[in-house]
């Protein structure tokens, strides 16, 4: 399963849509800046961290989210959820020296 993330580009100021793996943590979504294991984080992740918020669409539902990178124990738990949902994240981690960043998208508006 996937979802749509719409985030404003940090340089262009234009809306940049991207399809991502759907990893749910309660009402939150978890995203991994894997970029397929490439040495640099993907642009969508850099845009997301710069903007601090975005809009998501899961099925027919759309809502605004805030975004924050997680670390420590929270990152470990989110990483476990992500790799259970999409085991290739572990393979991508093995392809790069950087630690793949993990972020949580938290709903800004009530459903």
């Amino acid at each position: 399963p996937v979802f749509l993330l719409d985030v404003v580009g940090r340089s262009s100021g234009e809306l940049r849509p991207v399809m991502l793996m759907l990893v749910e943590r309660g009402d939150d979504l978890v995203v991994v800046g894997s970029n397929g294991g490439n040495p640099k984080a993907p642009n969508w992740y850099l845009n997301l961290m710069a903007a601090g918020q975005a809009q998501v669409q899961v099925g027919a539902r759309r809502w605004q989210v805030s975004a924050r990178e997680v670390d420590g124990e929270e990152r470990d738990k989110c990483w476990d959820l992500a790799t259970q949902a999409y085991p290739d994240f572990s393979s991508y981690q093995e392809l790069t020296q950087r630690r793949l960043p993990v972020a949580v998208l938290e709903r800004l508006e009530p459903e």
Side-chain angles (χ1 to χ4, degrees):
V2 295
F3 75 98
L4 177 67
L5 174 74
D6 286 324
V7 63
V8 174
R10 62 195 184 286
S11 298
S12 69
E14 296 179 15
L15 203 57
R16 301 292 185 194
V18 62
M19 296 299 290
L20 299 173
M21 300 307 300
L22 179 62
V23 180
E24 296 176 287
R25 183 186 79 169
D27 290 335
D28 302 334
L29 301 179
V30 174
V31 294
V32 177
S34 67
N35 204 12
N38 285 299
K40 294 184 178 183
N43 282 331
W44 69 261
Y45 191 87
L46 300 173
N47 290 338
L48 181 63
M49 291 299 98
Q53 62 181 22
Q55 187 173 74
V56 299
Q57 180 173 340
V58 178
R61 300 174 301 139
R62 288 184 73 83
W63 65 92
Q64 290 291 124
V65 294
S66 63
R68 64 182 176 82
E69 193 164 323
V70 293
D71 57 14
E73 185 177 327
E74 184 178 18
R75 185 208 182 270
D76 294 342
K77 289 179 180 178
C78 290
W79 176 256
D80 288 344
L81 283 174
T83 57
Q84 287 170 19
Y86 189 67
D88 283 343
F89 284 136
S90 293
S91 299
Y92 299 156
Q93 180 61 77
E94 292 175 11
L95 293 173
T96 185
Q97 296 295 315
R98 69 182 173 94
R99 186 173 193 205
L100 299 182
V102 178
V104 171
L105 308 180
E106 298 172 320
R107 184 184 295 271
L108 285 176
E109 55 191 49
E111 190 165 358

